[in-house]
Amino acid sequence: MNKRIIHVRGVKPYAVGAAVVAALLASTACQPAADDGAGQGGASAPPSATSAATPGGTATATPTAAPTETPTETAAPSGSGSASAAPGEAAVAACTVDDLAVSAVKEPADAKENRHLLLTVQNSGDATCALYHYPHVRLGADARTTVPVIKDSDPDPGKPVVIEPGKEAYAALLVSGGARDEYEARSITLTLQGRTPGTHAGKPVDVPMPATPLYADDGQLVTYWTTASGLALDFIMSR
């Protein structure tokens, strides 16, 4: 019996196509796993907390702010009664009436009128001390105010007059300057000033009278303290 062989068309092409597909699938399965997430929106590591992204994708370190120190201001002591001292020198204590011998003389000594007086204080203590500004002087028990100062008579503005033991300081006093509201003065009182102008350093002291009585008026004036008697007198002798 003769067998007929039937050739079915198209089987071979389909078989070849299936083989190609299987090969492609096998090739894809062999790709590295790391490539599977590329460009697919996968999660990426967060940037470091100490870095900041810059245009172009380059990370740069963020500088850390350095701490700043606030300057400290040291307060200067107040209320001190001593004169300012240069660096390395001890402060000089303020003079008190207990440290001083006080006197007044007429200038010139042979003058007929008692208009110009030289007030003198001598350091009778055993330590150097400082005089501030000018003396507060009252002429007579009924004086309405202290004697005004000649402002330009300060020999060294802003600085006290320092006197060593046994040394002297001076202030010149004009008793009358023009016979205006003249009155009779039978006493002179002197009060030292403190560092702050207008303050008092201790109680008033009576100054021995160089002559009695003194005829004072509203033109009276006094100078700042100085260690040069002639300088003090220059401010009142021409008045």
Side-chain angles (χ1 to χ4, degrees):
M1 181 177 181
N2 293 330
K3 297 181 179 181
R4 297 180 61 185
I5 300 173
I6 300 174
H7 296 279
V8 181
R9 296 181 179 180
V11 172
K12 186 175 181 179
Y14 282 107
V16 173
V20 172
V21 171
L24 289 174
L25 290 175
S27 174
T28 303
C30 293
Q31 293 294 325
D35 292 343
D36 292 345
Q40 302 300 320
S44 59
S48 171
T50 59
S51 301
T54 60
T58 302
T60 58
T62 302
T64 302
T68 57
E69 183 177 350
T70 303
T72 301
E73 182 179 14
T74 303
S78 61
S80 172
S82 58
S84 301
E89 295 181 0
V92 178
C95 296
T96 67
V97 291
D98 295 332
D99 301 324
L100 305 175
V102 184
S103 62
V105 295
K106 182 174 60 173
E107 291 290 342
D110 58 353
K112 294 181 179 180
E113 296 180 324
N114 302 317
R115 296 183 60 240
H116 307 99
L117 302 182
L118 181 66
L119 303 175
T120 303
V121 291
Q122 183 183 53
N123 185 348
S124 57
D126 56 4
T128 300
C129 65
L131 293 169
Y132 290 94
H133 316 299
Y134 57 92
H136 280 170
V137 178
R138 286 185 180 270
L139 292 174
D142 298 327
R144 289 173 292 181
T145 185
T146 57
V147 179
V149 70
I150 301 174
K151 293 182 178 180
D152 59 354
S153 66
D154 192 348
D156 198 355
K159 294 184 179 180
V161 171
V162 177
I163 50 176
E164 298 176 351
K167 301 299 183 179
E168 298 176 340
Y170 311 94
L173 176 63
L174 179 64
V175 176
S176 60
R180 294 169 294 180
D181 297 329
E182 186 178 88
Y183 66 96
E184 185 177 302
R186 292 184 173 272
S187 66
I188 302 173
T189 58
L190 181 151
T191 307
L192 301 176
Q193 289 196 65
R195 174 183 290 184
T196 303
T199 61
H200 289 168
K203 297 180 179 180
V205 60
D206 289 329
V207 180
M209 295 287 288
T212 304
L214 296 176
Y215 293 97
D217 63 23
D218 290 344
Q220 56 194 261
L221 294 168
V222 71
T223 67
Y224 279 81
W225 290 115
T226 177
T227 55
S229 59
L231 177 62
L233 289 171
D234 284 345
F235 284 96
I236 68 166
M237 294 304 294
S238 60
R239 296 173 184 262

